[in-house]
Amino acid sequence: MYTETGSQWNVAELEGAAHRHLISPAEELAKLGTSGGRPLFTSADGIHVRDSHGRTLIDGPGGMWCTQVGYGSKPIADAIAAQALRICYNSPWYSISGPAAELARRISSFAPGDLNHVFFTTGGSSAVDSALRFVQFYNNVLGRPTKKKIICRIDGYHGSSHLTAACSGRAGNRPNFDLELDTVSFISAPNIYRHPQGKSEAAFLEFLVAEFEERIAALKPENVGAFLAEPILASGGVIIPPKGYHRRILETCRKHDILYISDEVVTGFGRCGHWFASEEVFDIVPDIITFAKGVTSGYVPLGGFVLSESVLAKISGENAKGSFYTNGYTYSGHPVSCAAALANIGVIEDQDLLAHVREITPYFQEQLAKLRELPLVGDVRGVGLLGCVECATDPTSEAATDFDRQVALRIDRQCYENGLVVRPIGSMCVLSPALIITRPQIDEMVSILRESIVRVQAEIR
Ligand code: PLP
């Protein structure tokens, strides 16, 4: 059975326990208790995971876009242990967490513009949820009780809380749940590969901006509180918007006094070669940035949002009008999580990982792009160490077909056999490896992916 060191595993018993008692976040209920197929990872090191059959694999998706510095980092593990022994918890209501205060200072120092006030949560969903609740609070304090609607995009993903799930426009996440649809309004995904207009990138941009303007007009600006967007739609399939998109949308937000929330849960903490992608990659300073995942490299849960000084100033100090902000997470600014994040930032700095990502990105993207020549591959795209290979047996189709989705699943299984974990999302294989990845490791990863696609191609033709 499971032991303290994890060195002995009764794999069959653990798999049985998982099937009988563990509900995963993505569960086909008809097969609950009987289906196998999910691997049991027993240990990990660097960019590799090891499964219960003793097989070592490259972790292509980096956990779930989160293992920035890689597995097995001693400085982070030591920081977690030291903080747990020093003081494992203190109430954020009655006391200050030292690591939280220091982490807020660090994040403020590298967040863009005047974003310098940090609220900590327990992960990405709670980060976005808290940012959206802040928008409601903000407009109530300002005496604008109707300015609450949130505009977001089809194929965006922002989490699994009640409100963030409603803001997530991926069809697969929605069936059988009730959603806050009165609050949320969806506009098109800025998907250049599968957009229906048959237009140039520049014309598509004009279409998207006009659609946003029209939606604001239809809802009326006095009813729209926020625009919520990932800089790159990650779970939606690494969708990179047309050049200038975020800037134009931000200008429209400014015109109508709508807060711009940039959801950097995936793109933050080095994924695109910078602490945050909003300013450095997409040339915008939003009002709020949400973060999670890479802030601790996945060692312990943590999330949060950074808020601009100018927005906060409108409802604080002399403008506070007696308002009292509560968003009462027991684990807000948890000392162990914040200590892990500080150690993680230390590792990123010591190993100069932001520069490493900027240096290695062109190589990663070039190697991946070569897969475009394979017949099953419709599109290859990416930014930084985010990449996506989209299967499209009929590239003229505006939507992925069931067949393409099956193809991606088969590629995923074949990759696993060949020593690579990928993450099939619909018809796409998505990669976001740890930031420490080297050129030879990129070669190995892409070559396994290529061999697997070729193998599946041979099987289905
Ligand atoms: N926002 C984005 C952009 C995400 O990709 C995710 C998760 O994948 C979330 C929010 C939710 O984060 P969490 O799963 O930590 O709650």
Side-chain angles (χ1 to χ4, degrees):
M1 225 352 150
Y2 183 79
T3 65
E4 239 183 37
T5 60
S7 59
Q8 286 172 19
W9 300 84
N10 184 327
V11 174
E13 274 188 37
L14 287 176
E15 283 177 348
H19 293 158
R20 278 190 295 281
H21 303 294
L22 183 64
I23 301 175
S24 86
E27 200 62 81
E28 201 178 331
L29 295 183
K31 294 184 183 161
L32 188 69
T34 57
S35 65
R38 230 181 231 123
L40 194 161
F41 294 139
T42 52
S43 63
D45 184 34
I47 68 158
H48 294 99
V49 288
R50 179 178 282 261
D51 76 8
S52 52
H53 303 286
R55 199 174 340 188
T56 299
L57 304 107
I58 296 177
D59 181 11
M64 277 176 74
W65 335 83
C66 60
T67 60
Q68 315 305 69
V69 305
Y71 295 104
S73 165
K74 192 161 160 28
I76 301 181
D78 286 347
I80 290 170
Q83 186 61 42
L85 290 171
R86 194 178 303 120
I87 172 167
C88 72
Y89 177 77
N90 63 282
S91 164
W93 288 72
Y94 315 121
S95 55
I96 295 171
S97 153
E102 175 58 9
L103 182 60
R105 190 185 71 77
R106 290 306 314 273
I107 291 174
S108 299
S109 74
F110 51 65
D114 70 341
L115 274 73
N116 60 17
H117 291 275
V118 184
F119 180 80
F120 289 113
T121 67
T122 53
S125 303
S126 52
V128 180
D129 199 82
S130 295
L132 294 172
R133 291 197 75 211
F134 176 81
V135 173
Q136 296 174 346
F137 175 84
Y138 171 78
N139 282 309
N140 284 335
V141 174
L142 287 177
R144 312 190 295 198
T146 64
K147 206 166 167 59
K148 302 282 171 55
K149 287 195 191 290
I150 306 151
I151 299 182
C152 20
R153 282 97 48 86
I154 292 166
D155 283 338
Y157 182 72
H158 300 288
S160 291
S161 72
H162 194 55
L163 188 52
T164 58
C167 290
S168 298
R170 291 183 60 217
N173 296 126
R174 304 170 79 83
N176 297 318
F177 281 108
D178 293 337
L179 300 165
E180 291 288 321
L181 295 178
D182 283 350
T183 313
V184 182
S185 184
F186 287 96
I187 54 173
S188 302
N191 188 338
I192 300 168
Y193 179 58
R194 287 195 195 264
H195 71 85
Q197 287 72 38
K199 294 182 173 126
S200 67
E201 182 171 338
F204 184 44
L205 173 62
E206 295 309 320
F207 162 82
L208 292 166
V209 174
E211 183 194 29
F212 185 49
E213 284 274 14
E214 283 158 23
R215 185 61 54 84
I216 294 168
L219 296 170
K220 297 195 176 75
E222 61 270 30
N223 295 325
V224 182
F227 173 71
L228 168 65
E230 300 157 82
I232 299 162
L233 287 85
S235 306
V238 187
I239 295 171
I240 304 152
K243 214 168 172 13
Y245 170 86
H246 289 294
R247 184 133 213 101
R248 294 281 301 280
I249 295 281
L250 177 66
E251 282 163 12
T252 308
C253 286
R254 293 278 182 264
K255 205 160 73 188
H256 299 292
D257 200 4
I258 293 167
L259 294 180
Y260 188 120
I261 305 172
S262 182
D263 182 356
E264 293 229 34
V265 164
V266 168
T267 51
F269 290 88
R271 178 61 48 205
C272 301
H274 303 277
W275 291 114
F276 292 113
S278 294
E279 187 176 27
E280 307 278 4
V281 183
F282 293 102
D283 192 27
I284 59 160
V285 177
D287 298 298
I288 298 174
I289 290 179
T290 53
F291 61 86
K293 294 189 190 276
V295 65
T296 60
S297 282
Y299 279 75
V300 283
L302 180 68
F305 70 78
V306 207
L307 171 66
S308 87
E309 177 87 45
S310 49
V311 168
L312 188 62
K314 288 189 187 155
I315 57 158
S316 62
E318 287 179 3
N319 300 322
K321 301 195 185 89
S323 60
F324 181 72
Y325 177 72
T326 74
N327 196 29
Y329 287 94
T330 298
Y331 296 136
S332 184
H334 193 282
V336 176
S337 301
C338 292
L342 286 167
N344 179 50
I345 290 170
V347 173
I348 292 174
E349 286 176 336
D350 290 348
Q351 298 186 14
D352 212 1
L353 286 180
L354 301 183
H356 172 70
V357 173
R358 292 197 295 271
E359 191 269 320
I360 209 162
T361 285
Y363 187 75
F364 172 67
Q365 298 295 348
E366 276 158 25
Q367 298 312 303
L368 218 51
K370 289 183 187 162
L371 300 178
R372 221 181 250 133
E373 69 200 27
L374 300 176
L376 288 182
V377 174
D379 194 32
V380 178
R381 51 185 179 265
V383 172
L385 284 181
L386 274 177
C388 171
V389 175
E390 180 159 1
C391 302
T393 43
D394 175 10
T396 60
S397 166
E398 282 168 7
T401 62
D402 276 347
F403 185 72
D404 292 332
R405 281 188 271 274
Q406 289 308 317
V407 167
L409 265 183
R410 287 175 73 155
I411 294 171
D412 173 53
R413 282 193 211 112
Q414 189 60 51
C415 281
Y416 196 94
E417 288 303 309
N418 296 348
L420 170 67
V421 181
V422 292
R423 183 183 174 203
I425 302 180
S427 59
M428 295 161 278
C429 299
V430 163
L431 297 173
S432 66
L435 312 185
I436 53 173
I437 196 164
T438 62
R439 281 175 189 236
Q441 289 171 332
I442 289 174
D443 291 343
E444 192 186 346
M445 185 167 71
V446 177
S447 123
I448 296 177
L449 187 53
R450 171 182 285 274
E451 278 167 32
S452 305
I453 297 172
V454 169
R455 176 76 183 265
V456 170
Q457 198 173 301
E459 281 170 11
I460 62 175
R461 287 292 149 102

